[in-house]
Amino acid sequence: MDAIWASTEKWFFKINPSLKFATIASLFIVYLFVHNLNTMIWTAVLFAMLYFAVNGLAGKLAFGLLSLILVFSALSSTAMVFFGKGTHVLFDWYLVVISEESLARGILIGLRTFIFSILGLIMASTTEPVPFFYSLMQQLKVPVRYAYGCLAAFRMLPMMGEELVHIRQAMRVRGLLRKKGMRARYERLKRYTVTMLAQSIRRAQRTAVAMEAKRFSMSQSRTFYYEIGWSRYDLYFLVLIFAAAALGFFLAFWFPLTPYTDVLDQ
Amino acid sequence: MPSNSPDRWGVTNLRLAFPKSQSMFFKDLTFHYRRGEKILLLGPSGSGKSTLLQVLTGLVPGSVELPMRTEERSVPESWGFIFQDPDTQFCMPYADEEIAFVLENRRIERKKMPGMIRRYLDMAGLSLDDPHRLIRTLSGGMKQRLAIASILALEPEVLFLDEPTAMLDPEGTKQLWETVRRIGQERTVLIVEHKISEVLDFVGRVVLFDDGGRIIADGPVDAVLSKHRKELDNFGIWYPGAWSGFIKQNRGHRAARSEPKPLVELKDFRVFRKKTVKFSLSHLTIHKGEWIAVIGENGAGKSTMIEGMMGLIRRQGTVHWHLDDPEDEVAFVFQNPEYQFVTDQVADELAFKLMLKKKDAKETNQRVNEALKKFSLFDQRTQHPYQLSVGQKKRLSVASALIDRPKAVILDEPTFGQDARNTFRLLDLFQTLREAGTTVIMVTHEREIVRHFATRVLRIQAGRLVEDRSQRPEREEGAYGRHLGEHGEVVF
């Protein structure tokens, strides 16, 4: 995990993770009901700026993830853009019919994907797993077995990464990579899956026994090494997010970039 | 005898079954121990020693559900358990958090924790400048000592150690036993272990199991070891002196070798991991028929070197094999055999390389059968490779690498974690290969292999070759190893 973070000192890391989680989850619901294309455009721009300002990731990774969600957003808009209904046809080629209306709706869907992803990224790129799960246990009363279970699972991710490298090397040595064609690909995929599954199940079983050997009990009360509390940063965060969201709506009103204030209107 | 007294624990008439097996594993096993005793449990792999430890702690049937029955069982009030695999004992990413996890379980007040964490780390002989250290960055030996620190946080009066050094190098093993010696002084300690040389002077009582899970001896160390040497040999236990008996019967590097023709030349050779040079070498020539031991500390770059030679990771410079098709004629055996298995059946595993080269069915069949017999895997030929024992897995991975008679074989710690029996048989096999002209290159920590078998020793330190020493053969004729049958097949 340390290789991912460039800095965990930024102030977004000091926000109570449960609050961050709840706020961002409620924003998801808000933007589910926005049909104004202008609002979505401005909001997307604002949150993308916010993401760059607050994330604690290494620079390259931050850009990489952003381009990844851009691709996803573009893909998610295509179905609506290419095949949606509309009267003002811009482009027509066999099954593909692009109309002004379908273009607007498609872009809105793409932007919604983008906003959801960028909000998720703001959360993920400013929260370390351990404080997050401690906060879930302390503020949201998530049962300890799920929280520690997830933490134990996090520990396995880098191991699985290393394992993938080993399996690939072994396949090369055994000559599995020399085979070409669909069947060989299927064989390789099967090998990766079987090996990784077998190793992971075994590891999970051993870890579970080791945790119980350390007297981990799912029912009894426990103390906590980290006390996740509240601070002024929580207030700043709420104000900032509210301001950013509100600004999105206002900018759409003041500087409408497109005529589509409700894409559902015919 | 009241077995529920606070100073005496154990089981009476334990019966236990493993899933899918018809018969009971332990049949009326009775075992007791007293406060302050230091006990070593010995036996062949699969004799149920680990399971017994888990029964004695209540992990079986509490956490691991196995059908079992006892007439009486008393479990100590506080105990700690160290498992074999250093990587799967932890659930938190950082060292301090792992110990804190135990303290949380014990409901210790939060503000007392940092001080206690430091104290337990010190007790375990793991001095970290900052206890908030990623566990992933610790070596195997350090991880095991962290595991000890975290069970010390349980303040246990009885310690159970289940092959704690099986995955450690000699240095890590030494440090682990030093720690156990120190913290075990005042406690009751039960140890399951195969490499027993370093624990013998610590324990006072040895319990010997046979492969059916029966106790065949139980008593003071010297009495049991001297009376049951034959069983120890048969069970593959690494007792002091296990090597000397074997070495007498194998010529090792004294055996004659073929004319020194070059096999591979490395020039300005550099190997990278994550864009940094981890191993470099200006010039090295390896000859046909050599047995090369690559030695050095953990993290010195031994595996990097051989993986670089195979082209498995990024490298620069010249690697010139004097072979027609090096990718085909050089075999490689990984440390963990499981990664290497590419089929669902032992026989298919052996046939894989031959099928890839489109050999005809008759020849393939014949060669597979030969190999199954040679490596004592014939009865397992229809099993899934994952169902084999540790030793069988290793044999299968070696067998499948050797099936097409490569000109050279490169092995990453081939005897690591293997019992004495399997180790000696593998070494006999490599010896015959070398005498027949195959080059054997292996990374190893095993001193005896370096001393007795290697014809040439390469010492790696901090990513560089610091020593290149040849061990001269004396032209002398001797018998083949005792593990070879009359047709030169290996008898496992």
Side-chain angles (χ1 to χ4, degrees):
Chain A
M1 270 157 268
D2 266 6
I4 299 171
W5 302 120
S7 153
T8 53
E9 297 298 310
K10 293 190 171 184
W11 71 271
F12 253 55
F13 284 86
K14 294 173 188 150
I15 301 160
N16 184 301
S18 294
L19 176 77
K20 214 190 299 179
F21 181 66
T23 311
I24 281 174
S26 44
L27 281 181
F28 283 175
I29 297 169
V30 170
Y31 290 107
L32 204 56
F33 294 104
V34 173
H35 301 298
N36 185 332
L37 189 59
N38 298 320
T39 315
M40 294 302 262
I41 295 173
W42 282 115
T43 309
V45 171
L46 287 170
F47 280 126
M49 282 160 60
L50 183 65
Y51 165 66
F52 276 108
V54 300
N55 82 76
L57 302 173
K60 261 189 197 164
L61 188 63
F63 265 105
L65 288 171
L66 185 75
S67 26
L68 198 69
I69 66 169
L70 276 172
V71 171
F72 265 115
S73 310
L75 284 176
S76 72
S77 67
T78 50
M80 184 55 94
V81 172
F82 289 164
F83 310 113
K85 278 184 192 154
T87 44
H88 302 84
V89 176
L90 297 172
F91 181 80
D92 184 355
W93 182 71
Y94 296 103
L95 278 176
V96 176
V97 181
I98 300 179
S99 63
E100 281 181 32
E101 292 90 338
S102 75
L103 190 65
R105 285 179 207 152
I107 292 175
L108 184 100
I109 290 177
L111 284 172
R112 189 171 287 155
T113 312
F114 181 81
I115 289 172
F116 281 19
S117 318
I118 201 94
L119 283 171
L121 262 187
I122 289 174
M123 172 85 204
S125 66
T126 61
T127 315
E128 286 181 282
V130 175
F132 176 64
F133 285 106
Y134 269 75
S135 170
L136 286 189
M137 286 188 286
Q138 289 169 19
Q139 271 88 46
L140 300 182
K141 305 292 170 220
V142 168
V144 289
R145 58 182 152 159
Y146 297 124
Y148 284 95
C150 288
L151 282 172
F154 260 101
R155 240 186 72 73
M156 307 218 169
L157 293 179
M159 288 184 214
M160 292 174 73
E162 273 168 38
E163 202 163 75
L164 211 57
V165 175
H166 285 305
I167 298 172
R168 190 167 178 77
Q169 291 183 343
M171 281 185 177
R172 184 145 166 204
V173 163
R174 292 300 306 276
L176 209 63
L177 298 187
R178 281 189 177 189
K179 279 199 192 172
K180 299 275 186 290
M182 280 306 278
R183 201 181 149 68
R185 268 168 197 244
Y186 166 75
E187 283 291 321
R188 281 200 286 271
L189 188 69
K190 191 175 128 192
R191 227 8 75 192
Y192 276 117
T193 323
V194 170
T195 313
M196 302 270 293
L197 265 181
Q199 305 286 351
S200 301
I201 291 170
R202 211 173 313 170
R203 263 202 293 266
Q205 156 81 3
R206 284 187 199 151
T207 307
V209 174
M211 283 168 78
E212 288 188 16
K214 289 176 180 171
R215 309 298 188 285
F216 177 62
S217 141
M218 296 187 259
S219 46
Q220 279 171 5
S221 67
R222 59 192 292 118
T223 53
F224 290 107
Y225 183 46
Y226 298 119
E227 200 89 45
I228 310 290
W230 306 94
S231 67
R232 58 200 155 97
Y233 293 108
D234 300 324
L235 194 66
Y236 299 163
F237 169 72
L238 280 180
V239 172
L240 181 70
I241 289 289
F242 185 77
L247 194 59
F249 285 97
F250 283 124
L251 284 172
F253 182 70
W254 294 328
F255 309 105
L257 299 176
T258 70
Y260 297 96
T261 49
D262 187 347
V263 294
L264 294 183
D265 274 350
Q266 282 300 326
Chain B
M1 264 190 297
S3 64
N4 55 353
S5 78
D7 285 338
R8 189 167 177 277
W9 308 278
V11 283
T12 309
N13 290 342
L14 165 71
R15 289 182 170 217
L16 183 143
F18 284 115
K20 283 188 193 166
S21 84
Q22 295 296 311
S23 55
M24 285 283 151
F25 190 73
F26 291 120
K27 235 181 145 206
D28 297 331
L29 180 98
T30 301
F31 173 76
H32 288 98
Y33 58 100
R34 287 174 187 287
R35 183 187 297 278
E37 271 191 308
K38 323 273 185 260
I39 307 170
L40 175 65
L41 309 182
L42 282 181
S45 47
S47 60
K49 306 173 302 283
S50 305
T51 314
L52 179 63
L53 279 197
Q54 299 196 351
V55 170
L56 293 174
T57 54
L59 280 174
V60 171
S63 305
V64 182
E65 285 175 30
L66 291 175
M68 62 160 266
R69 202 185 68 198
T70 56
E71 230 160 71
E72 200 176 17
R73 179 173 64 152
S74 51
V75 174
E77 203 162 291
S78 65
W79 49 268
F81 205 114
I82 298 287
F83 297 86
Q84 205 184 87
D85 183 355
D87 276 316
T88 54
Q89 307 201 19
F90 310 114
C91 60
M92 303 295 286
Y94 290 91
D96 59 336
E97 292 168 355
E98 185 61 36
I99 299 172
F101 171 72
V102 179
L103 299 174
E104 290 174 354
N105 292 342
R106 282 177 57 204
R107 279 171 278 176
I108 300 285
E109 255 179 90
R110 178 168 168 255
K111 56 176 190 289
K112 286 187 187 158
M113 288 185 188
M116 292 173 85
I117 290 171
R118 283 225 171 255
R119 190 158 59 84
Y120 291 126
L121 282 172
D122 286 345
M123 277 167 79
L126 187 66
S127 38
L128 301 173
D129 295 330
D130 177 10
H132 192 67
R133 164 108 177 247
L134 263 184
I135 297 178
R136 205 149 45 80
T137 62
L138 302 176
S139 72
M142 289 164 93
K143 281 180 192 158
Q144 283 302 62
R145 275 178 281 146
L146 174 63
I148 290 186
S150 66
I151 64 156
L152 283 175
L154 291 165
E155 296 291 344
E157 53 181 326
V158 185
L159 296 176
F160 294 90
L161 300 130
D162 185 5
E163 291 194 57
T165 67
M167 299 198 179
L168 302 188
D169 58 14
E171 182 60 27
T173 305
K174 208 177 112 222
Q175 286 175 340
L176 183 102
W177 288 128
E178 272 169 23
T179 301
V180 171
R181 230 173 268 271
R182 201 171 54 241
I183 61 160
Q185 212 69 54
E186 306 292 312
R187 298 181 165 89
T188 314
V189 188
L190 276 79
I191 304 167
V192 169
E193 186 57 89
H194 285 120
K195 302 184 283 182
I196 65 173
S197 309
E198 293 179 61
V199 276
L200 279 182
D201 56 334
F202 172 65
V203 296
R205 176 179 161 196
V206 172
V207 183
L208 185 61
F209 292 79
D210 69 4
D211 42 20
R214 283 172 294 263
I215 293 177
I216 51 175
D218 183 351
V221 179
D222 293 337
V224 173
L225 291 195
S226 58
K227 221 190 274 171
H228 295 275
R229 183 133 304 192
K230 209 175 125 233
E231 281 88 350
L232 296 182
D233 267 328
N234 286 339
F235 297 162
I237 290 160
W238 286 115
Y239 62 88
W243 274 107
S244 62
F246 167 66
I247 279 174
K248 269 185 219 141
Q249 272 139 8
N250 193 305
R251 285 179 298 175
H253 62 69
R254 295 191 310 270
R257 56 187 95 154
S258 45
E259 284 303 300
K261 286 191 204 124
L263 170 83
V264 58
E265 284 172 77
L266 308 176
K267 242 183 235 154
D268 302 318
F269 179 61
R270 267 166 302 164
V271 195
F272 297 78
R273 274 194 207 271
K274 288 191 182 155
K275 291 180 190 161
T276 49
V277 179
K278 287 284 174 186
F279 182 80
S280 58
L281 186 80
S282 64
H283 187 258
L284 178 74
T285 307
I286 291 171
H287 302 95
K288 289 180 180 157
E290 282 186 315
W291 178 322
I292 294 186
V294 182
I295 60 171
E297 281 168 23
N298 264 349
K302 306 184 295 292
S303 298
T304 309
M305 172 183 161
I306 57 169
E307 284 171 22
M309 280 172 71
M310 277 307 276
L312 295 175
I313 43 182
R314 203 162 76 81
R315 66 182 185 198
Q316 277 179 355
T318 327
V319 179
H320 181 66
W321 293 91
H322 293 260
L323 296 168
D324 300 331
D325 182 1
E327 206 173 317
D328 185 48
E329 290 171 287
V330 182
F332 193 93
V333 180
F334 287 90
Q335 201 185 92
N336 183 346
E338 289 189 355
Y339 295 142
Q340 210 166 331
F341 298 143
V342 293
T343 66
D344 297 323
Q345 220 182 72
V346 170
D348 293 347
E349 196 59 35
L350 291 168
F352 184 79
K353 181 81 190 271
L354 303 173
M355 307 256 277
L356 209 60
K357 293 177 80 182
K358 303 208 165 56
K359 299 257 189 241
D360 68 273
K362 203 175 143 211
E363 194 194 341
T364 302
N365 236 329
Q366 190 196 339
R367 286 234 216 141
V368 167
N369 277 329
E370 266 171 34
L372 284 171
K373 286 191 190 116
K374 188 170 169 183
F375 287 86
S376 294
L377 291 166
F378 198 76
D379 295 335
Q380 285 78 30
R381 64 189 180 282
T382 56
Q383 281 185 20
H384 194 285
Y386 278 20
Q387 291 175 317
L388 302 176
S389 73
V390 180
Q392 288 167 339
K393 274 181 198 156
K394 180 57 88 179
R395 267 160 24 213
L396 178 60
S397 70
V398 173
S400 55
L402 296 178
I403 190 108
D404 201 31
R405 295 160 196 156
K407 300 284 191 303
V409 54
I410 305 180
L411 309 106
D412 198 351
E413 302 203 39
T415 63
F416 183 75
Q418 301 292 312
D419 67 17
R421 222 169 119 98
N422 224 28
T423 300
F424 297 157
R425 280 144 186 78
L426 284 170
L427 290 175
D428 270 338
L429 172 82
F430 298 143
Q431 178 75 12
T432 31
L433 281 177
R434 178 180 84 69
E435 287 182 30
T438 309
T439 309
V440 177
I441 302 170
M442 60 170 68
V443 169
T444 185
H445 282 294
E446 188 51 71
R447 245 183 22 230
E448 301 298 330
I449 297 180
V450 175
R451 201 148 60 194
H452 188 71
F453 290 92
T455 60
R456 189 169 167 195
V457 182
L458 305 178
R459 181 186 295 279
I460 313 289
Q461 201 179 325
R464 294 192 166 274
L465 179 64
V466 293
E467 188 187 342
D468 180 355
R469 162 167 59 93
S470 278
Q471 318 212 70
R472 291 276 94 211
E474 301 150 25
R475 301 259 170 193
E476 124 187 17
E477 289 305 310
Y480 277 93
R482 71 178 156 137
H483 300 299
L484 295 182
E486 50 186 322
H487 304 297
E489 79 272 21
V490 189
V491 187
F492 283 102

